[in-house]
């Protein structure tokens, strides 16, 4: 959640740190900051999809195909992604950073670090953050993206993730 005391690093268009600000201020002013998300797959390759709690201030009730949140001051994208997986799904795994990109979707522009992780089928979703979760195959997810209301960040992150997976291995960052 975007709390009053949540501090983030304000960054420039090259993802270099400029200073420390509250996330609320970064969003309000449109200042770049960092967010880490993870596409979670099970051993069979299905992808977890969640529906945000109605009590959340940002995008209540919308679906997500990524799990994530703001990168704390001094933390890496990987550390933030691992923290969010533990908080939101109750799993302790080390996600793998695939790429970062400047995301202009959502409430304000931000650098988005996109990760991938294999997580157990049985997760302990935090009910304050997640109202529902389920596992979808990639074809099922592609259909859901057309029919369900997804948060804009989630939609963009997944599109970038799919494009990344299609790149030749030697062209990946």
């Amino acid at each position: 959640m975007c709390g009053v005391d949540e501090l983030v690093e304000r960054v420039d268009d090259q993802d270099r740190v400029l200073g420390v600000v509250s996330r609320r201020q970064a969003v309000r002013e449109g200042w770049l900051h960092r967010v880490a998300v993870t596409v979670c797959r099970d051993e069979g390759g299905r992808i977890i999809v969640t529906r945000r709690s109605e009590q959340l201030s940002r995008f209540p009730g919308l679906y997500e195909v990524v799990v994530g949140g703001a990168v704390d001051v001094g933390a890496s994208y990987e550390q933030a992604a691992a923290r969010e997986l533990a908080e939101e799904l109750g799993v302790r795994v080390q996600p793998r950073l695939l790429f970062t990109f400047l995301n202009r979707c959502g409430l304000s522009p931000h650098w988005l670090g996109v990760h991938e992780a294999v997580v157990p089928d049985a997760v302990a979703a935090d009910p304050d953050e997640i109202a529902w979760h389920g596992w979808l195959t990639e074809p099922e997810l592609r259909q859901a993206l057309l029919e369900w209301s997804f948060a804009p960040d989630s939609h963009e992150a997944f599109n970038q993730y799919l494009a990344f997976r299609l790149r030749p291995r030697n062209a990946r960052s």
Side-chain angles (χ1 to χ4, degrees), residues 14 28 61 118 161 164 167:
Q14 299 297 310
R28 183 178 64 242
V118 175
Y161 170 77
F164 174 84
R167 288 184 215 142

Side-chain angles (χ1 to χ4, degrees), residues 3-79:
V4 173
D5 298 324
E6 186 177 25
L7 296 178
V8 297
E9 292 170 333
R10 182 178 176 191
V11 295
D12 65 14
D13 61 355
Q14 299 297 310
D15 200 12
R16 295 178 299 226
V17 177
L18 300 174
V20 175
V21 298
S22 76
R23 185 172 186 200
R24 186 168 295 214
Q25 183 180 19
V27 169
R28 183 178 64 242
E29 301 293 335
W31 293 338
L32 294 175
H33 57 288
R34 295 174 175 150
V35 174
V37 298
T38 304
V39 175
C40 298
R41 292 182 172 272
D42 67 6
E43 291 289 340
R46 295 179 304 167
I47 299 168
I48 197 167
V49 175
T50 63
R51 187 170 44 80
R52 297 173 63 81
S53 168
E54 294 292 340
Q55 286 72 41
L56 294 176
S57 61
R58 294 180 307 108
F59 309 116
L62 295 185
Y63 290 91
E64 295 267 20
V65 69
V66 291
V67 173
V71 177
D72 291 337
V73 173
S76 67
Y77 285 106
E78 294 92 338
Q79 290 167 327

Side-chain angles (χ1 to χ4, degrees), residues 26-151:
V27 169
R28 183 178 64 242
E29 301 293 335
W31 293 338
L32 294 175
H33 57 288
R34 295 174 175 150
V35 174
V37 298
T38 304
V39 175
C40 298
R41 292 182 172 272
D42 67 6
E43 291 289 340
R46 295 179 304 167
I47 299 168
I48 197 167
V49 175
T50 63
R51 187 170 44 80
R52 297 173 63 81
S53 168
E54 294 292 340
Q55 286 72 41
L56 294 176
S57 61
R58 294 180 307 108
F59 309 116
L62 295 185
Y63 290 91
E64 295 267 20
V65 69
V66 291
V67 173
V71 177
D72 291 337
V73 173
S76 67
Y77 285 106
E78 294 92 338
Q79 290 167 327
R83 183 195 76 238
E84 291 292 332
L85 287 172
E87 289 175 5
E88 293 185 25
L89 298 181
V91 296
R92 301 219 180 269
V93 298
Q94 188 56 50
R96 182 173 62 100
L97 178 64
L98 302 177
F99 59 92
T100 62
F101 72 99
L102 183 53
N103 185 16
R104 298 199 180 274
C105 293
L107 294 177
S108 70
H110 54 274
W111 276 95
L112 196 58
V114 179
H115 301 75
E116 184 176 55
V118 175
V119 301
D121 288 353
V123 297
D126 178 353
D128 291 335
E129 300 240 359
I130 297 172
W132 171 89
H133 71 278
W135 293 94
L136 300 180
T137 64
E138 207 164 293
E140 291 169 337
L141 178 53
R142 288 177 191 272
Q143 189 62 40
L145 285 164
L146 298 172
E147 297 173 0
W148 302 354
S149 295
F150 280 82

